[in-house]
Amino acid sequence: MKIIDLCAHQIFDSRGVPTLEARVALKDGTVGVGSAPSGASTGSHEARELRDGGDAYQGKGVGRAIENVNGPIREALLGMDAALQGRIDDRLQELDGSADKSRLGGNALIAVSWAVADAAARSAGMELYQWLGGAQARQLPCPMFNVVNGGRHANNNLEIQEFMFVPSGADSFHEAMRMGSECYHALRRLLSEAGLSTAVGDEGGFAPNLERDEQALEWMVRAIEAAGWKPGEDVCLALDCAAAEWADGEGYRQSKSGARFQRGEMIEFYHALAGRYPLISIEDPLGEEDFEGFREITDALGDDLMIVGDDLFTTNAERLFRGLALGAANAILIKPNQIGTVSETIETVQLARRNAYAVIVSHRSGETLSSAIADLAVAVNAEYIKAGAPARGERLAKYNRLLEIEDRIF
Ligand code: 2PG
Ligand code: MG
């Protein structure tokens, strides 16, 4: 079905920062929309967001990205068949011509790429996950709920960015949501009774000041029990250390306390944590260039834990390829805006799958109300989806969509 119009306009993300939404109109009258989320702890190898600079919006305006959609991108895609997502995404890459999508903007490209997928699915009368995954889509992901926020997602004193509940013992997505929600509310009550802050960070998790990062895990174990579930059986724990933020020359320096560590000490620290708490996954335990360190930690802990590459791989097949050759990590975080188009995202997932890496589809800390990543997770049979706490509209948009898919369709 032919594209007859394409435009973009400014919206605001969940942090109140400008972003863009693209709209694609097809000849049969179908309209599809797509938007660009935005990270805070972004990997250096991510597709570049195009921001205006200058005084307005602290330099974060997206006027130029919008002009690129309304000008050259519109021109290039008019008349193309929206059903041919691969061709459209190739065209977008060709038109941009840069290695990091900096010319037209990764934010412009991903919004358009999603809008085209949405329009094509609607025009075919299909659900987005069906359109993207075809007959292969058959599994709902297990949610990873980020319930304590630190690092760059909160101005508390926690160094680790994300502490997550993972209801891996749930029999259905509905049950997983119930577990996550009950544990989240139990955690709020416990923190509040202890006089700790229950104000939330960027992804809807609590952001208390604690003496040590491990205490977050202790509170979480208590919350699981208080909610009547079994830690390590019904509900496990996961971390996103976002340790690229701590990389400092050969070693690491944590951003808030200034504490310094060598790679080996970091790995020992994680080893000890995994012995003490029911952890099933550690994302970005080391820096984004530390492939060798990822290989070491995967050798040491990879039989029992998911070692997840986020900033390490940036959803980029070439970087994943490098990791595969070394045995660095055993799971990959998938964020479509890190690479810039839907097709490239799916290609990276396929490469991960062929090599038995687990797949976690993920939101960004600055989100929109789009639920497209929920459909993507189902389309590629992702084992997990990470979309923040079971609270806040932009986070629930993804989880609620999965509830809907389970109710109506599975
Ligand atoms: C991450 C993400 C999402 P950001 O590091 O995994 O939780 O954070 O979007 O800030 O990169
Ligand atoms: Mg991460």
Side-chain angles (χ1 to χ4, degrees):
M1 186 54 62
K2 263 192 190 161
I3 295 177
I4 58 160
D5 202 4
L6 169 60
C7 63
H9 62 268
Q10 186 189 306
I11 58 172
F12 287 87
D13 73 16
S14 57
R15 273 193 282 253
V17 173
T19 185
L20 72 161
E21 182 171 81
R23 278 175 182 269
V24 171
L26 306 186
K27 197 159 174 234
D28 63 2
T30 315
V31 173
V33 296
S35 56
S38 179
S41 60
T42 46
S44 324
H45 301 280
E46 293 194 16
R48 291 267 160 259
E49 291 177 338
L50 190 61
R51 300 275 182 191
D52 296 340
D55 293 336
Y57 299 117
Q58 304 80 41
K60 291 187 174 166
V62 289
R64 287 195 293 151
I66 289 172
E67 276 166 28
N68 287 343
V69 177
N70 294 343
I73 297 178
R74 177 176 186 276
E75 195 81 339
L77 299 195
L78 282 186
M80 284 186 79
D81 186 346
L84 303 177
Q85 185 79 36
R87 295 270 292 270
I88 301 259
D89 290 340
D90 285 349
R91 188 81 191 88
L92 290 173
Q93 284 174 73
E94 237 171 61
L95 194 67
D96 174 77
S98 69
D100 57 3
K101 274 102 177 173
S102 54
R103 206 177 74 81
L104 296 172
N107 46 354
L109 299 197
I110 196 64
V112 169
S113 189
W114 273 129
V116 169
D118 185 45
R122 287 175 195 279
S123 168
M126 290 167 92
E127 299 287 336
L128 182 58
Y129 78 86
Q130 247 176 343
W131 175 254
L132 295 174
Q136 294 305 311
R138 60 181 176 279
Q139 172 185 313
L140 284 155
C142 177
M144 301 177 89
F145 297 112
N146 177 14
V147 295
V148 178
N149 295 185
R152 290 187 69 148
H153 292 174
N155 70 346
N156 57 0
N157 63 356
L158 297 177
E159 302 283 0
I160 292 178
Q161 179 179 283
E162 302 173 20
F163 299 79
M164 294 172 267
F165 285 136
V166 187
S168 45
D171 290 330
S172 65
F173 192 79
H174 275 70
E175 195 184 17
M177 284 305 295
R178 176 181 161 191
M179 290 175 173
S181 167
E182 290 179 356
C183 293
Y184 177 79
H185 289 284
L187 181 60
R188 181 206 299 273
R189 201 184 63 244
L190 293 179
L191 292 176
S192 162
E193 282 167 5
L196 291 160
S197 166
T198 54
V200 298
D202 287 357
E203 298 188 352
F206 306 114
N209 276 312
L210 301 175
E211 271 160 38
R212 289 171 301 115
D213 280 20
E214 291 95 303
Q215 286 181 347
L217 296 171
E218 277 157 29
W219 283 113
M220 288 168 75
V221 168
R222 272 179 234 153
I224 296 169
E225 287 166 347
W229 300 101
K230 289 205 181 63
E233 240 172 81
D234 300 320
V235 183
C236 295
L237 303 180
L239 298 174
D240 179 3
C241 305
E245 300 292 323
W246 310 334
D248 184 34
E250 290 291 285
Y252 292 90
R253 183 179 178 277
Q254 293 191 323
S255 328
K256 296 177 181 175
S257 68
R260 288 178 189 279
F261 298 92
Q262 292 307 312
R263 178 206 282 161
E265 294 172 314
M266 301 267 287
I267 296 177
E268 268 168 40
F269 168 68
Y270 297 129
H271 210 141
L273 282 186
R276 250 179 285 141
Y277 302 98
L279 279 177
I280 59 161
S281 174
I282 308 183
E283 181 183 329
D284 283 351
L286 297 164
E288 62 190 340
E289 304 302 345
D290 199 353
F291 277 89
E292 186 50 38
F294 266 84
R295 186 193 59 72
E296 250 180 62
I297 190 169
T298 308
D299 278 351
L301 300 175
D303 286 345
D304 302 319
L305 292 181
M306 286 200 292
I307 302 296
V308 186
D310 169 17
D311 292 345
L312 180 75
F313 296 137
T314 55
T315 316
N316 181 318
E318 279 170 34
R319 289 187 65 84
L320 174 59
F321 204 75
R322 203 172 138 196
L324 292 171
L326 277 170
N330 56 19
I332 182 170
L333 207 76
I334 294 291
K335 293 166 167 168
N337 83 320
Q338 273 182 332
I339 188 70
T341 64
V342 174
S343 308
E344 287 169 285
T345 303
I346 292 176
E347 276 159 30
T348 303
V349 171
Q350 285 165 349
L351 179 63
R353 280 262 168 273
R354 284 199 296 278
N355 290 278
Y357 272 38
V359 170
I360 305 171
V361 169
S362 170
H363 68 160
R364 300 309 305 249
S365 48
E367 262 298 332
T368 72
L369 292 180
S370 166
S371 57
I373 59 160
D375 283 73
L376 175 69
V378 178
V380 301
N381 297 306
E383 283 87 349
Y384 297 94
I385 185 167
K386 179 176 103 156
R392 306 280 137 186
E394 75 283 1
R395 312 296 148 188
L396 265 328
K398 286 70 170 165
Y399 296 133
N400 286 342
R401 169 64 178 154
L402 289 164
L403 287 174
E404 181 194 1
I405 293 177
E406 187 170 71
D407 264 344
R408 287 199 8 232
I409 304 151
F410 273 61

